[in-house]
Amino acid sequence: MYPTYNFKVAWCLVCAQGWVEIVREKETNNLFFLCEECETQWKTITDVLNNKNGIHDDTSIVTEPFLEEVERMGWSGLILKN
């Protein structure tokens, strides 16, 4: 079965092989952006689009956020439909 990518916002400029998605860290409930392929993480969409300030944190356990959480952050308009 293929992933659904419900919260994809951009194609990753680091690896050029995966979608950057909005995710929620399970431990802190913080939302951030994560490439599903290379696992680079960003705090802002500006950093994603400018390929800046990406980090790798192998300790983060993430899950898909609720739409309401994404809306509270003001990020729902970033979600790509296609």
Side-chain angles (χ1 to χ4, degrees):
M1 189 162 154
Y2 295 100
T4 56
Y5 304 116
N6 293 322
F7 293 98
K8 67 182 180 184
V9 297
W11 191 246
C12 183
L13 296 174
V14 173
C15 69
Q17 295 183 35
W19 287 110
V20 176
E21 299 179 276
I22 302 168
V23 297
R24 177 172 22 97
E25 185 176 28
K26 282 189 171 186
E27 186 175 313
T28 65
N29 288 325
N30 290 331
L31 299 187
F32 59 92
F33 302 93
L34 173 73
C35 173
E36 51 86 24
E37 184 66 31
C38 70
E39 299 183 349
T40 301
Q41 300 176 12
W42 301 267
K43 292 182 180 180
T44 71
I45 190 63
T46 303
D47 289 345
V48 171
L49 298 176
N50 292 318
N51 196 14
K52 291 176 37 178
N53 302 323
I55 64 163
H56 286 88
D57 181 357
D58 295 336
T59 63
S60 293
I61 298 172
V62 299
T63 188
E64 187 171 285
F66 295 106
L67 181 57
E68 294 81 15
E69 295 173 300
V70 175
E71 288 172 341
R72 264 194 307 271
M73 294 293 291
W75 292 349
S76 58
L78 302 173
I79 300 169
L80 300 174
K81 303 296 181 202
N82 295 328

